[in-house]
Amino acid sequence: MELLQSMQVFARVAETGSFTRAADASQIGRPQVTRAIQELEASLGVRLFQRTTRRVRLTTEGEQFYERVMGILGSIAETTSMFAPSGASLRGKLRIDIPTAFSQPAFIASLRAFAVAHPDIEMTLGVTDRAVDLVAEGVDCVLRIGELPDSSLVARRVAMATMITCAAPDYLQTYGEPHTPDQLAHHRGVNFLSGQNRRQLPWQFLQDGSDTSHMSRHGILVNESSAYVQCGVAGFGILQAPGLTLDRYLADGSLVEVLKRYRPRPRPVSVLYPSRSQLAPQVQAFVDWLMQSFPALYDRWLE
């Protein structure tokens, strides 16, 4: 295998921590990945990875080599594009993933404007509420809301999203409006079931300067964002969600905010991608566009 390709495979193994996932991400067979790493180790005269039955980890020499490899691959990407005509359109594949809650007319229309500005970018849009393994699934970047787990991904904060607690007018007419979080014990809730751990997510509130949480024990559990909001509109119970996903329903009166004085702290909206140094030009363009356009789309519901 050529040295450049071997370096690319090495970087995939380092990022995924798995020969199998690196093979899937590189679209080659696992034996080829194994052979590429063995050849690199033989030519360098050092062991790059510590292999166990559970995962693959970089050795000290492997970490040093990884830093140099990422710099080399980044330089190659920059060099191969240096003779592109000034003003030439970006081209290449761009695979992005967004939460279901963000797949709304305003965002899609704005995304269309990006596509029109870059007609030679071949875009694939994934919409899901589950956690996505960017490297293993070949995704360039994802947009996510909420606190992020520690990972090797690069994360850039786009905005802070206002959280709203609300219910349908019919529900409030039947059950009454809660005036404090303590009164939620007597109410039904539309509750979100996290796709990562299959656990119900609690509602958060800011009460007397302190964060409090409430777990609704009555109502319906939903594991998809659009259905979650629609259950609230239909009157199943009270729900809590980012204001930017509820805007049209709050505007037309389908949902009414409750417990406004107890609004929880805003939640971060972030864009994540695997590596800063290897960011392809079309991915960089999308991230830059997202940082600029997203706050303008939802300024009413961002802090």
Side-chain angles (χ1 to χ4, degrees), residues 13 45 65 71 89 104 123 136 142 152 158 249 256 303:
V13 175
F65 187 61
S89 61
Q104 301 176 61
M123 192 184 311
V142 299
S152 59
V158 178
Y249 304 107
V256 177
E303 298 183 15

Side-chain angles (χ1 to χ4, degrees), residues 218-275:
H218 307 285
I220 187 172
L221 280 166
V222 187
N223 67 352
E224 194 273 339
S225 299
S226 294
Y228 174 71
V229 174
Q230 291 305 316
C231 283
V233 173
F236 274 86
I238 295 172
L239 74 152
Q240 189 177 84
L244 59 92
T245 71
L246 305 171
D247 184 64
R248 61 177 133 165
Y249 304 107
L250 293 168
D252 66 17
S254 299
L255 291 172
V256 177
E257 184 175 7
V258 298
L259 301 172
K260 184 173 182 178
R261 62 178 293 191
Y262 300 101
R263 277 185 182 179
R265 300 183 193 277
R267 300 181 68 189
V269 179
S270 309
V271 58
L272 295 86
Y273 45 90
S275 171

